């Protein structure tokens, strides 16, 4: 995918994920949502209150390049003189979430059927109409309360975007279904695919602003704390979240809408897990997760890319519920040995050179703007002094 010009990427807004407070979720009858988050082992990441380093995030997206290898993608760039390179497994370690296995479909305009993705069945579930004859996007007003919560979670934390919340995309519905069916989702790989896509689209913002702070810290990128980077009240899954979902809760009962259109709905429970799937999973948790090797993602060529590698499994791999060890930031020598992208001693090339050119022009324009603003301020100050002098002269006379 061809990235946008750097000046357009720099203009994008930086958005952060929503922060989950387990106590508030449980107190408001959303413990089932927390259970689904814990099923994925995302709870620690979703609870983190991280700063968003806006300039660093903008530079990250402006300079990132994606290398497409046979079985994985790698993101590379040099940020503030520090080389950064990671694939989905390294990103998983940095974020503290599972990342070796799991579903990582990336769906845009064509919603195709696969082993776990049945478009018509999914649409029927979220429209709550078994008579529906064709798959389609679903409006939030058609969803039950629990489904709305999951939609908001997916839209803000899994495949985030800024804009309309009242209609779900095909990808929203797919991942809502995966989460509610308790299938393991490979969040780091989904993130990387989403990041690779948004740098080519004008109408998508710069995503995962807070989680990228963990990436910057892992690689030792120098960060400057600026005012306004702390999370605000609306960055939490709290009362404003319920308002956005058009939901109210009274005496343990959920109400949808407001005024004359308000209707009662008590269905806040997660759907039961498929009995056959549950029985199979309980035999051996890891083997059940490995079944997801048949989930594919479509590239520009239209060919599916197999995610799970049976040969890698034969060599041994960590259980999804093992502790993920912390990884220390690599030293400069390690970066050089591992071939991590950095500043080429012979001089910057490619995206790095393009960014340096943009940065120089940006600083020049900012300096000119500062000079113009200063001259305007001086002129305004002189005008006010002249008026004051005139007023004093008239007063003396």
């Amino acid at each position: 995918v061809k990235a946008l010009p750097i000046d357009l990427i720099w203009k994008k807004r930086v958005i952060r994920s929503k922060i989950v407070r387990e106590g508030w979720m449980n107190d408001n009858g959303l413990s089932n949502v927390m259970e689904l988050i814990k099923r994925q082992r995302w709870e620690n990441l979703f609870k983190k209150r991280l700063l968003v380093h806006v300039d660093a995030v903008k530079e990250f997206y402006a300079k990132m390049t994606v290398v497409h290898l046979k079985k994985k993608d790698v993101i590379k760039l040099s940020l503030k003189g520090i080389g950064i390179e990671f694939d989905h497994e390294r990103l998983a370690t940095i974020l503290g979430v599972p990342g070796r296995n799991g579903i990582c479909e990336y769906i845009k305009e064509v919603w195709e059927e696969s082993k776990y993705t049945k478009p018509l069945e999914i649409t029927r579930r979220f429209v709550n109409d078994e008579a529906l004859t064709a798959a389609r996007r679903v409006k939030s007003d058609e969803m039950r309360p629990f489904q709305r919560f999951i939609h908001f979670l997916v839209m803000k934390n899994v495949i985030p975007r800024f804009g309309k919340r009242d209609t779900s995309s095909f990808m929203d519905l797919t991942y809502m279904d995966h989460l509610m069916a308790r299938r393991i989702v490979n969040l780091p790989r989904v993130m990387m695919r989403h990041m690779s896509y948004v740098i080519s689209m004008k109408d998508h913002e710069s995503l995962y602003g807070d989680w990228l702070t963990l990436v910057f810290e892992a690689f030792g990128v120098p960060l400057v704390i600026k005012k306004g980077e702390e999370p605000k009240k609306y960055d939490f899954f709290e009362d404003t979240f319920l308002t956005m979902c058009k939901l109210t809760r009274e005496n343990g009962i959920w109400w949808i809408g407001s005024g004359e259109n308000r209707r009662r709905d008590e269905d806040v429970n997660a759907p039961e897990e498929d009995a056959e799937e549950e029985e199979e999973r309980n035999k051996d948790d890891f083997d059940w997760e490995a079944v997801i090797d048949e989930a594919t993602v479509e590239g520009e060529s239209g060919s599916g890319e197999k995610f799970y590698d049976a040969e890698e499994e034969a060599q041994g791999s960590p259980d999804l519920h093992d502790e993920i060890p912390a990884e220390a930031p690599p030293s400069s020598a390690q970066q050089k040995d591992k071939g991590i992208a950095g500043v080429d001693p012979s001089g910057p090339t490619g995206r790095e050179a393009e960014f340096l050119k943009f940065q120089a022009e940006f600083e020049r324009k900012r300096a000119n703007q500062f000079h113009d603003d200063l001259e305007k301020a001086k002129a305004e100050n002189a005008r006010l002094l002249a008026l004051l002098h005139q007023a004093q002269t008239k007063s003396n006379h």
Side-chain angles (χ1 to χ4, degrees):
V1 178
K2 183 175 177 58
L4 292 169
I6 287 176
D7 62 322
L8 295 181
I9 294 179
W10 195 264
K11 293 176 182 177
K12 288 174 177 275
R13 289 184 54 171
V14 174
I15 61 175
R16 62 180 303 142
S17 62
K18 291 291 181 182
I19 302 168
V20 171
R21 288 180 56 188
E22 186 170 358
W24 182 89
M25 299 284 276
N26 293 337
D27 291 344
N28 284 274
L30 300 176
S31 57
N32 286 327
V33 177
M34 279 306 306
E35 287 303 315
L36 295 187
I37 293 173
K38 289 179 178 180
R39 164 64 180 153
Q40 301 291 335
R41 285 188 60 205
W42 296 343
E43 66 272 19
N44 290 333
L45 177 62
F46 284 16
K47 290 177 185 177
K48 291 183 182 295
R49 304 185 185 195
L50 300 165
L51 298 177
V52 176
H53 298 274
V54 176
D55 287 349
V57 173
K58 288 187 174 187
E59 185 175 344
F60 174 89
Y61 279 103
K63 296 168 73 173
M64 68 173 272
T65 57
V66 184
V67 180
H68 301 286
L69 303 179
K70 184 177 181 181
K71 295 182 180 180
K72 62 182 178 182
D73 294 336
V74 176
I75 288 178
K76 293 185 176 184
L77 69 146
S78 172
L79 185 63
K80 300 186 184 301
I82 302 296
I84 293 178
E85 179 179 321
F86 59 85
D87 59 9
H88 60 275
E89 292 188 13
R90 177 70 193 280
L91 181 59
T93 300
I94 292 170
L95 299 180
V97 297
R100 184 175 179 82
N101 302 297
I103 294 172
C104 57
E105 297 170 286
Y106 200 80
I107 303 156
K108 294 311 296 178
E109 299 304 322
V110 180
W111 200 9
E112 296 182 347
E113 186 167 317
S114 65
K115 179 171 183 178
Y116 291 114
T117 302
K118 313 292 183 184
L120 180 55
E121 292 179 16
I122 292 174
T123 306
R124 285 173 174 171
R125 273 196 286 277
F126 289 109
V127 175
N128 301 292
D129 181 3
E130 291 298 320
L132 204 68
T133 58
R136 63 172 174 81
R137 291 177 170 81
V138 179
K139 293 183 177 180
S140 59
D141 288 343
E142 299 176 287
M143 300 178 190
R144 307 297 284 270
F146 184 82
Q147 295 170 340
R148 290 190 185 200
F149 299 142
I150 301 303
H151 179 218
F152 202 82
L153 182 73
V154 167
M155 191 174 60
K156 292 299 179 182
N157 285 23
V158 181
I159 42 175
R161 64 179 184 273
F162 184 83
K164 291 185 177 180
R165 309 179 184 92
D166 58 351
T167 303
S168 58
S169 67
F170 294 152
M171 191 150 54
D172 289 341
L173 293 170
T174 299
Y175 279 99
M176 289 164 64
D177 192 65
H178 290 328
L179 293 180
M180 294 175 71
R182 296 168 173 82
R183 303 184 190 105
I184 294 299
V185 172
N186 190 312
L187 180 61
R189 189 153 192 184
V190 173
M191 286 175 61
M192 289 184 62
R193 291 188 174 277
H194 201 34
M195 291 159 68
S196 300
Y197 177 76
V198 300
I199 62 172
S200 67
M201 304 299 293
K202 291 182 180 180
D203 58 348
H204 282 65
E205 309 299 340
S206 296
L207 314 169
Y208 311 111
D210 51 338
W211 295 350
L212 281 175
T213 296
L214 298 174
V215 174
F216 303 153
E217 291 174 347
F219 285 94
V221 175
L223 299 170
V224 178
I225 297 176
K226 295 183 179 179
K227 185 178 179 181
E229 293 175 341
E230 291 276 0
K232 308 294 189 300
K233 183 176 181 179
Y234 50 78
D235 292 321
F236 291 81
F237 277 111
E238 292 197 350
D239 294 340
T240 51
F241 155 64
L242 297 180
T243 302
M244 290 175 183
C245 290
K246 299 179 183 178
L247 295 167
T248 54
R249 183 174 170 84
E250 298 176 9
N251 301 320
I253 297 173
W254 288 103
W255 294 85
I256 301 175
S258 60
E260 296 180 357
N261 296 323
R262 195 172 84 146
R263 59 188 174 86
R264 173 174 170 163
D265 197 323
E266 300 178 53
D267 180 20
V268 296
N269 295 317
E272 293 295 326
E273 185 169 16
D274 182 88
E276 185 177 334
E277 244 180 35
E278 183 178 18
E279 181 181 357
E280 185 67 25
R281 180 169 62 81
N282 288 336
K283 291 179 183 177
D284 186 326
D285 191 61
F286 184 79
D287 283 349
W288 184 87
E289 312 300 356
V291 174
I292 298 172
D293 62 342
E294 296 191 18
T296 59
V297 289
E298 298 298 321
E300 288 186 299
S301 63
S303 60
E305 176 188 349
K306 192 170 182 180
F307 171 66
Y308 181 84
D309 190 335
E311 292 183 5
E312 290 181 359
E313 162 58 11
Q315 297 172 5
S317 60
D319 189 281
L320 285 168
H321 292 77
D322 286 345
E323 290 297 320
I324 299 176
E327 185 169 344
S331 65
S332 299
Q334 288 174 326
Q335 290 187 20
K336 184 176 180 181
D337 291 341
K338 291 183 178 180
I340 294 178
V343 178
D344 189 333
S346 63
T349 58
R351 199 70 173 173
E352 173 74 16
E354 187 180 345
F355 179 81
L356 291 176
K357 183 178 179 180
F358 161 78
Q359 190 176 43
E361 180 64 15
F362 181 82
E363 292 297 336
R364 185 187 67 78
K365 288 181 178 179
R366 185 160 65 175
N368 289 342
Q369 185 64 47
F370 177 79
H371 179 267
D372 291 344
D373 291 344
L374 183 61
E375 292 301 316
K376 287 178 182 179
K378 288 179 178 178
E380 179 65 12
N381 187 52
R383 186 182 71 81
L384 293 174
L385 286 173
L387 290 174
L388 179 61
H389 179 70
Q390 289 176 10
Q392 288 177 339
T393 301
K394 288 180 180 181
S395 176
N396 292 335
H397 288 302

